[in-house]
Amino acid sequence: MFYERLPASPRRAAAGTHHDASIYALSSAPGVAAIAVIRISGEAAVEVYQGLCPAKGLPRARSAVVRTLYDPSKAPAVDAILDPGALVLFFPKPYSATGEDVLELHVHGGRAVVQAVLAAIPRASTLPSSGRIRYAEPGEFTRRAFLNGRLDLTQVEALGDTLAAVTEQQRRLSVRGTASKLGKTYEAWRQLLLEARGELEAMIDFSEDQHFDESPAALVSSVAALVGSLRSQIRAYSDNAVRGELLRNGLALSLLGAPNVGKSSLLNLVLGREAAIVSGEEGTTRDVIEAGVDIGGWYCRLVDMAGLRRGRHSHDGGQTKEAATGEGKVIGEVELKGIRRARQKALESDVVIVVLSAEQAGSGDLQTFLPVSREVIETAAQCSERPGQAVIVVVNKLDRMSCEAQKLPEEWIQQIQGSLPNLSRDRIFGVSCKRAHEGSLDAADAGRIQSFLSGLVQVFKDLTSPATLQDGERAALPLMADAWEESLGASKRQKMLLDICLGHLDDFLLHVTRSGDGELNVDVVVAAESLRAAAESLGKMTGKGEAGDVEEVLGVIFEK
């Protein structure tokens, strides 16, 4: 990615002599390791090499050589050796990671070796012609890559995501962004708007002197159609940026249910550790318990909460306020606060896992039934009506059922769907946390936990699959391969700029209207200004266009 031939960047000229110093830093993680990588960037890179490797010629570009590194303040001798076998690579400008001369030293990773080489680098650069050399600031290598046109802003953001990726889906998302397909798409849109603006401004400036193939009304109508198509495409990218955030930051999953249905047991099984206390006593979980977990490559923030049950408030002579359930059991104030938090957390989650449990009619009775808490169903129904939020149902304690197959009875499925009409059959699962806990590692899907997790992964795919153009909409430009997948990589900053661009495009379309008799009414000056602002917001995506695009617009005008 870093070494492909890139076109000249306006930022490179703007940067000019911005870098008055060469920089160096430890590029690998600190601590003891087999190998540590030290990178030097700038005019002093060659001189640093000559100081550390005296009497040795500069390595061929992008070819690794083994060198002995010496203390540059001493004559080459055994007692001046810093590292007897370092791997050295040299990348001449402009085809390097930063666009400057870059020297990489792969040294032995002991702390003393690394510190000795780092301390020697400033002493190796003494000539005034190379300028001063200093330790790099955080992110400075990447900043120089951007200023020298090696990376655009979308690639810089993707690089940060790559370094922060924890799960497979996060890695895939970040890797897509490093190819700069997003940046190329944004730039193509910007050029399209510049051409459209050029068409309108040419009509303003030269309509009396030039003959146009189209009438002004037809020209404006053509530009409006193009802008409308572009708006549809940008809207889809903006929507997909929200889905991409679920991949980047993780999905929030909440376990919603009545007390003692097995929420904490399910949490522990999914996490693979005892994160929550499991007890037969109701109301054990009173606060929110949150833990991060990788489920099928998706990073998830799994939350266990207080069980929901209905109660009535009572006041007792100024003492601590309590509530009594219909069964006569008392709910303390702490649990009441936990219940309120549980409802709120469920409404804020991306996926709500409603946990129910099979219960026996009486002691020693093999007959089972499915109790459904009204508090739980009301909260789940609210969640199912919220856009972008998924609800699934898990029926626990299938081990209590008398039938050997222990499948969910059809009447239970219909009972659940009757309470939650928007819930599809494929989002209802039966499990047994007891069987899963007791099952051996060799058991095939003990307790059906794996089947539940597989269904959960499918829900994740549905939530994070990219949106496309709606029926009847068409793209303003031909779509690149995997364009909609690429759109998931748009960052929060990019989404904000996309939304700003959409606002300017809406303003443009608002100024281009037809009267009742079909005549086109348009304020060309205002419409052109809307296109300029929209193009500028797209330019900020990749770091282009902030300083204005006057010359580019003039080029479009005179070309036409």
Side-chain angles (χ1 to χ4, degrees):
M1 176 187 70
F2 290 125
Y3 308 116
E4 61 179 335
R5 180 177 294 273
L6 294 179
S9 167
R11 295 192 297 271
R12 188 176 298 143
T17 58
H18 174 77
H19 312 314
D20 59 344
S22 298
I23 55 174
Y24 70 99
L26 176 66
S27 293
S28 53
V32 179
I35 298 172
V37 179
I38 298 171
R39 179 180 288 178
I40 303 100
S41 178
E43 296 296 328
V46 173
E47 188 184 354
V48 168
Y49 171 81
Q50 293 170 342
L52 296 175
C53 307
K56 291 290 185 178
L58 195 65
R60 193 157 51 92
R62 289 174 289 279
S63 296
V65 296
V66 178
R67 292 284 187 265
T68 298
L69 305 184
Y70 293 93
D71 186 337
S73 62
K74 300 179 181 179
V78 174
D79 62 349
I81 294 176
L82 302 175
D83 191 331
L87 196 67
V88 178
L89 296 98
F90 176 65
F91 304 91
K93 63 181 180 183
Y95 306 118
S96 67
T98 62
E100 304 172 329
D101 286 341
V102 170
L103 181 68
E104 282 190 3
L105 307 174
H106 297 227
V107 303
H108 289 90
R111 287 192 176 93
V113 174
V114 173
Q115 290 301 323
V117 175
L118 288 174
I121 288 174
R123 298 196 301 271
S125 176
T126 57
L127 296 178
S129 60
S130 298
R132 62 190 181 89
I133 186 168
R134 58 175 174 78
Y135 202 84
E137 299 172 1
E140 190 168 5
F141 285 95
T142 304
R143 183 163 66 247
R144 293 195 176 195
F146 166 69
L147 291 173
N148 289 322
R150 299 304 297 167
L151 298 174
D152 62 35
L153 286 182
T154 62
Q155 289 175 294
V156 171
E157 290 173 311
L159 180 60
D161 291 339
T162 300
L163 298 177
V166 175
T167 68
E168 175 63 13
Q169 293 300 324
Q170 290 174 328
R171 182 195 66 79
R172 291 183 181 182
L173 183 72
S174 62
V175 167
R176 291 192 196 109
T178 57
S180 192
K181 287 186 179 179
L182 268 178
K184 292 174 182 176
T185 298
Y186 297 151
E187 179 59 17
W189 291 347
R190 190 177 79 94
Q191 291 296 331
L192 195 66
L193 290 177
L194 289 175
E195 292 179 11
R197 177 186 166 197
E199 295 273 11
L200 294 182
E201 296 196 352
M203 186 174 66
I204 297 171
D205 296 336
F206 306 118
S207 59
E208 296 181 359
D209 304 322
Q210 301 288 335
H211 172 71
F212 290 90
D213 295 333
E214 296 178 292
S215 66
L219 181 61
V220 172
S221 180
S222 175
V223 171
L226 184 68
V227 169
S229 298
L230 181 60
R231 183 196 177 282
S232 299
Q233 204 168 341
I234 293 177
R235 175 199 51 76
Y237 269 61
S238 176
D239 292 343
N240 287 338
V242 177
R243 301 178 181 223
E245 282 297 308
L246 296 179
L247 294 172
R248 185 177 292 107
N249 298 327
L251 295 108
L253 280 62
S254 61
L255 295 168
L256 180 70
N260 212 24
V261 294
K263 300 187 302 299
S264 297
S265 297
L266 185 59
L267 173 80
N268 292 339
L269 284 169
V270 173
L271 295 178
R273 59 185 175 87
E274 297 293 321
I277 297 174
V278 177
S279 170
E281 179 184 344
E282 292 187 355
T284 305
T285 304
R286 297 186 175 188
D287 204 352
V288 173
I289 300 174
E290 183 171 339
V293 62
D294 182 343
I295 301 179
W298 275 262
Y299 178 70
C300 302
R301 303 187 306 276
L302 189 58
V303 177
D304 186 18
M305 309 178 295
L308 302 191
R309 51 177 169 169
R310 189 179 297 274
R312 57 182 177 82
H313 292 281
S314 63
H315 298 273
D316 185 13
Q319 300 297 317
T320 302
K321 184 171 63 178
E322 296 179 336
T325 66
E327 295 79 15
K329 298 178 181 178
V330 174
I331 303 176
E333 181 66 19
V334 173
E335 187 177 352
L336 285 174
K337 289 182 179 180
I339 290 173
R340 286 194 291 268
R341 288 186 181 182
R343 290 197 192 98
Q344 186 60 37
K345 199 71 176 180
L347 292 172
E348 295 172 353
S349 298
D350 302 306
V351 180
V352 177
I353 303 172
V354 180
V355 183
L356 308 176
S357 66
E359 300 294 341
Q360 293 174 329
S363 177
D365 193 344
L366 296 179
Q367 198 69 24
T368 56
F369 69 102
L370 183 67
V372 178
S373 165
R374 188 171 69 177
E375 284 285 288
V376 173
I377 290 300
E378 286 177 353
T379 304
Q382 290 179 2
C383 295
S384 66
E385 294 171 357
R386 296 169 70 90
Q389 193 170 29
V391 174
I392 66 174
V393 173
V394 176
V395 180
N396 186 27
K397 304 182 184 179
L398 290 188
D399 50 278
R400 293 183 172 182
M401 298 179 62
S402 57
C403 59
E404 294 182 3
Q406 292 185 346
K407 292 182 179 179
L408 286 178
E410 182 63 27
E411 58 266 27
W412 286 13
I413 295 176
Q414 293 179 3
Q415 177 186 356
I416 293 170
Q417 290 183 311
S419 301
L420 298 171
N422 296 330
L423 188 69
S424 60
R425 181 181 289 261
D426 62 354
R427 293 195 175 183
I428 302 175
F429 304 91
V431 302
S432 170
C433 292
K434 179 181 178 181
R435 290 281 173 86
H437 183 72
E438 295 173 349
S440 66
L441 294 176
D442 297 330
D445 196 9
R448 299 187 182 178
I449 297 298
Q450 293 303 318
S451 297
F452 157 65
L453 292 178
S454 297
L456 199 57
V457 167
Q458 186 57 52
V459 173
F460 299 161
K461 291 180 180 178
D462 294 341
L463 286 175
T464 58
S465 59
T468 59
L469 295 178
Q470 298 176 0
D471 293 339
E473 294 180 337
R474 64 181 183 86
L477 290 171
L479 294 173
M480 288 188 277
D482 302 325
W484 298 118
E485 293 290 339
E486 297 294 335
S487 65
L488 293 173
S491 66
K492 186 178 294 185
R493 179 190 71 89
Q494 292 169 34
K495 175 177 167 48
M496 180 189 70
L497 291 169
L498 286 172
D499 290 341
I500 292 173
C501 180
L502 285 173
H504 292 306
L505 295 183
D506 287 339
D507 290 341
F508 170 83
L509 295 173
L510 185 65
H511 289 297
V512 181
T513 59
R514 290 188 180 275
S515 61
D517 57 2
E519 288 295 323
L520 196 67
N521 297 324
V522 57
D523 186 332
V524 177
V525 175
V526 175
E529 174 60 21
S530 296
L531 294 184
R532 183 205 64 77
E536 183 176 295
S537 63
L538 290 176
K540 291 178 181 179
M541 297 276 201
T542 58
K544 296 179 180 179
E546 294 101 320
D549 48 65
V550 176
E551 294 299 323
E552 290 180 89
V553 172
L554 288 177
V556 172
I557 291 176
F558 287 106
E559 183 182 30
K560 295 294 181 181

